[in-house]
Amino acid sequence: MTTATTAPAARVAHDGPRSRFGDLLAAEWLKMWSLRSTPWMYAITALAVIGFNAGTAYDQYKYWYQYDEHGRESFIANGSPLMDAFTGNAAMVLVLALAAIGAVSITGEYGSGLIRTTFTAVPARRQVMAAKALVLAAVTTVFGALVALASFASTQAILSARDASVSLDHPGAVRVVVASALLAPVAALAGLAIGSVIRHTGGSVVGCVVVLLLLPMVLSDRRHLTAVLQHTLPFSAWQRLSVSGFQQAPELYPWTAGGAWAVYALWALAACAVAVVAADRRDQ
């Protein structure tokens, strides 16, 4: 008499969810790159950011003769090459562009109705949004790293013609590059969260501008409450991390670089949570 045997049930239950989430990651990857505008948005943003930084370094190169002997000698000591490596204007362009990319990645699906098809095929909305956030974070992190490194290399190559460049082993250089690179995924995830709540492309982009760019300018650092609120914003955290010890002016309410890194992390985690909860709780 033979006895029928079956495969262990535990293995089936273990492998199913893992492969399912992998399918969701693959689907989100395909959706991201299926739009022809996606590569163009990243390419234009990269050119604009690198162009802003390289243009500032070229101005230093072109008008180098205006510095006196003391100014030329103190150029590196004051951390000026690091200021040119990633400028404030370039950071604003990066934040605005990446936040818009993050917002459109979800508002585009709501506008076209594709999100209903997705949630019908995969009722586990939290897993869908988690996969979208993970793919967005991975792509924008790589993008931010490439742009930050290209900006550093191009600006220092220009300044090297005046013997005014620094290398990555210069104090503070790695921090500037890493902070500028990670500003991209933080902005993109914030845009994803805002888009998940507003669900309208135009309104989401306006919301990104207000939250990520206008608030750091409006909040003053001369009063304790507004200074604390300003310090909780990612653009202010980038400003804190991109300023070397030589450049940092006295502050009424100073804060640490560790606090700025924590702001980056908390914004990324909070944005993912908001995007997941908004998709899971709100009606379509």
Side-chain angles (χ1 to χ4, degrees):
M1 181 177 181
T2 60
T3 303
T5 59
T6 59
R11 182 175 180 177
V12 175
H14 179 72
D15 291 344
R18 178 179 297 178
S19 61
R20 180 68 173 275
F21 190 72
D23 293 340
L24 292 178
L25 291 175
E28 292 300 328
W29 174 268
L30 291 175
K31 282 194 291 185
M32 172 180 288
W33 298 109
S34 63
L35 296 175
R36 294 182 179 181
S37 60
T38 299
W40 284 106
M41 292 174 69
Y42 281 111
I44 293 172
T45 301
L47 290 175
V49 172
I50 297 171
F52 265 111
N53 295 324
T56 302
Y58 180 74
D59 284 342
Q60 299 283 13
Y61 166 84
K62 185 176 180 180
Y63 298 104
W64 186 253
Y65 67 91
Q66 294 183 352
Y67 290 98
D68 57 19
E69 191 66 26
H70 175 72
R72 294 179 182 181
E73 293 177 353
S74 61
F75 187 81
I76 295 178
N78 292 336
S80 296
L82 295 182
M83 294 180 64
D84 295 343
F86 214 96
T87 64
N89 289 335
M92 292 177 66
V93 171
L94 182 71
V95 168
L96 179 58
L98 269 295
I101 289 174
V104 171
S105 69
I106 185 65
T107 60
E109 291 195 45
Y110 278 109
S112 65
L114 178 61
I115 195 71
R116 296 185 180 90
T117 303
T118 300
F119 287 154
T120 300
V122 185
R125 299 182 180 184
R126 293 187 178 185
Q127 293 186 23
V128 172
M129 293 304 297
K132 182 181 291 292
L134 186 57
V135 170
L136 181 66
V139 171
T140 53
T141 298
V142 174
F143 173 80
L146 293 175
V147 170
L149 287 171
S151 294
F152 185 87
S154 60
T155 55
Q156 301 314 303
I158 294 171
L159 293 174
S160 66
R162 301 298 190 187
D163 295 326
S165 63
V166 297
S167 60
L168 271 176
D169 59 1
H170 186 81
V174 172
R175 189 174 72 180
V176 170
V177 172
V178 174
S180 302
L182 293 182
L183 185 61
V186 172
L189 290 173
L192 176 66
I194 293 172
S196 299
V197 173
I198 298 178
R199 299 186 178 184
H200 182 272
T201 299
S204 298
V205 172
V206 171
C208 292
V209 172
V210 172
V211 173
L212 298 176
L213 293 180
L214 291 186
L215 278 181
M217 300 178 185
V218 172
L219 294 174
S220 171
D221 58 355
R222 300 187 63 83
R223 295 185 180 183
H224 182 265
L225 177 59
T226 55
V228 171
L229 292 175
Q230 185 189 61
H231 294 169
T232 62
L233 300 173
F235 191 80
S236 299
W238 172 82
Q239 290 177 315
R240 173 63 183 85
L241 293 169
S242 63
V243 174
S244 68
F246 299 105
Q247 304 162 357
Q248 191 170 0
E251 295 179 296
L252 292 176
Y253 306 101
W255 56 315
T256 64
W261 289 121
V263 169
Y264 268 23
L266 291 175
W267 266 82
L269 293 174
C272 291
V274 169
V276 170
V277 172
D280 187 56
R281 296 294 179 87
R282 294 181 60 182
D283 294 332
Q284 300 304 308

